[in-house]
Amino acid sequence: MRVVGAFRDSYGMEPAGVWHAPGRVNLIGEHTDYNDGFVLPFALPWGVTAAVSPREDGVIRLRSLQAGEPVTLETPDAAEGWARYVAGVFWALGQGGRRVGGADVVIDGDVPRGAGLSSSAALEVAVGTALNELYGLDLTKMEIALASQKAENDFVGMPCGIMDQAASALGEEGKALFMDCRSLGTRSIPFDLASHGLQLLIINTGVHHELADGQYARRRADCENAAKRLGVDALRDVTDLAGALARLSGDERRRTQHVVTENHRVEAVIGLLRAGAVREIGPLLNASHLSLRDQFEVSCAELDVAVESAVRGGARGARMTGGGFGGSAIALVADDRVESVRESVTGAYAERGWAAPEIYPATPAAGARRLL
């Protein structure tokens, strides 16, 4: 395991342990988590591995095999760039009254870059899982996820919901994770694609549009403003959609329509999966993409082409996944149509002079855990 060798080379000793946390892909339930809604992600085979040893002096020494120069921090507040995601976990645990000292840390990650598969959450959860064990904090997996979310919200400054960290912490092999983001209740949903002759392909556009910076926070503000105007705690509480839309206009109206209908789509997908009708979820994926494109306005040309060409190539359904403005789409594809879908998507990109997207199958993997 190269992270162990890198730890030995960096610090002249063996690590106290090695922990892994996965990235995630969201099957359906986009931009619903910070509206107290429903999500259905699953953990991926790729993620972040952290070799860690505790320190008594409070110093945090960090090295990433992907990020270049090592970093030494006397306090978490001194962190910059990628190191803030790690330092933020130390800070968040301290804010929660947990006694955490320093640590020597080496990070290795294999989440595909630019894919929007939540490498930041994997980094936070891997470090949080390590610190939980090393310092005997007795945190549950959900508590580790919440501390990781706090690190990203309040320390890094990204107003994400809880979905990414929860999926990384609580994922199970062969299952998707249904979560009610208000109660934080979870339930494992069997998602065995192979037994149904299906694959879920991730189509990594590899693009990130800079104009997207700040747009996530704007969408969240739109939702919060709409909820206030409707007199509800969150858009999850809207039960009369037609009546709500009649009272709203512009962006607030569109955001509300997406969130309410997306929550219903999550529930419909769960019903189909529990009934064994995995092939029938395709139209709901398509509807989710159209809503994200037209009502929430977080898609982009590369995602739209990926989805449209995948369906044209024979996918049973497809949609963008993640925050939007780039990253990845997913496509539900029968085994005998995988090559047709690949050819359709890569051909559509080539026609436009775009670099070919990376396309790979995703299978539900285990969540955060100790490796060594």
Side-chain angles (χ1 to χ4, degrees):
M1 189 177 297
R2 71 174 188 169
V3 73
V4 174
F7 190 97
R8 191 184 302 120
D9 293 342
S10 298
Y11 305 125
M13 59 182 176
E14 298 294 317
V18 177
W19 290 263
H20 176 83
R24 67 92 189 95
V25 68
N26 192 20
L27 181 61
I28 198 164
E30 218 67 75
H31 290 278
T32 51
D33 58 346
Y34 54 81
N35 289 290
D36 285 357
F38 308 134
V39 294
L40 191 64
F42 62 85
L44 290 166
W46 319 291
V48 170
T49 303
V52 188
S53 285
R55 294 178 62 93
E56 296 181 359
D57 58 5
V59 172
I60 305 169
R61 295 196 295 180
L62 306 175
R63 180 187 172 195
S64 167
L65 300 188
Q66 285 71 46
E69 292 299 313
V71 176
T72 299
L73 304 171
E74 297 293 333
T75 66
D77 290 339
E80 298 179 352
W82 70 270
R84 290 189 65 78
Y85 292 94
V86 179
V89 176
F90 286 80
W91 173 85
L93 291 171
Q95 290 288 301
R98 308 290 180 173
R99 296 180 61 85
V100 176
D104 292 328
V105 183
V106 173
I107 299 295
D108 192 13
D110 62 357
V111 179
R113 293 187 178 184
L117 302 178
S118 208
S119 58
S120 62
L123 175 56
E124 293 153 358
V125 172
V127 172
T129 302
L131 296 177
N132 182 47
E133 185 169 340
L134 291 173
Y135 284 99
L137 304 181
D138 294 324
L139 298 174
T140 65
K141 289 185 176 183
M142 182 58 79
E143 287 173 332
I144 293 171
L146 288 167
S148 299
Q149 181 200 17
K150 183 176 179 63
E152 190 149 348
N153 287 176
D154 300 337
F155 194 84
V156 177
M158 173 62 178
C160 64
I162 186 60
M163 177 182 67
D164 295 353
Q165 292 83 4
S168 183
L170 283 85
E172 294 182 47
E173 186 174 353
K175 297 178 181 178
L177 179 74
F178 169 64
M179 183 167 64
D180 179 332
C181 296
R182 170 171 287 166
S183 69
L184 300 184
T186 63
R187 187 166 77 244
S188 295
I189 306 296
F191 192 51
D192 181 7
L193 293 167
S195 66
H196 294 272
L198 297 167
Q199 296 183 35
L200 191 78
L201 299 182
I202 293 176
I203 305 168
N204 177 10
T205 69
V207 302
H208 170 72
H209 290 287
E210 293 303 323
L211 69 133
D213 294 343
Q215 292 294 323
Y216 185 101
R218 285 184 58 186
R219 296 301 184 279
R220 183 162 185 165
D222 289 341
C223 294
E224 291 170 352
N225 291 339
K228 288 178 183 177
R229 197 177 304 277
L230 295 170
V232 295
D233 291 336
L235 292 182
R236 177 253 183 81
D237 298 311
V238 173
T239 55
D240 177 8
L241 179 58
L245 296 182
R247 297 170 58 189
L248 299 171
S249 62
D251 288 344
E252 292 177 8
R253 188 180 195 276
R254 288 189 288 272
R255 309 308 180 235
T256 300
Q257 183 170 347
H258 166 73
V259 172
V260 175
T261 57
E262 185 80 346
N263 279 325
H264 289 311
R265 284 187 285 270
V266 173
E267 293 178 302
V269 166
I270 289 170
L272 289 170
L273 293 180
R274 295 185 70 181
V278 183
R279 289 174 173 263
E280 307 312 315
I281 71 172
L284 292 162
L285 302 183
N286 294 337
S288 175
H289 182 77
L290 292 177
S291 183
L292 288 159
R293 184 191 72 185
D294 299 337
Q295 306 302 329
F296 222 73
E297 299 176 291
V298 290
S299 192
C300 62
E302 292 87 351
L303 288 168
D304 291 340
V305 169
V307 167
E308 292 159 9
S309 58
V311 173
R312 191 165 55 246
R316 298 191 66 85
R319 73 175 194 91
M320 61 153 279
T321 187
F325 304 104
S328 295
I330 56 173
L332 183 70
V333 186
D335 289 338
D336 61 358
R337 300 308 298 268
V338 168
E339 287 310 310
S340 172
V341 169
R342 287 180 183 273
E343 291 172 3
S344 181
V345 174
T346 55
Y349 269 55
E351 287 175 8
R352 291 160 175 78
W354 298 342
E358 295 180 331
I359 302 175
Y360 28 75
T363 54
R369 60 203 184 276
R370 184 170 184 157
L371 300 182
L372 289 175

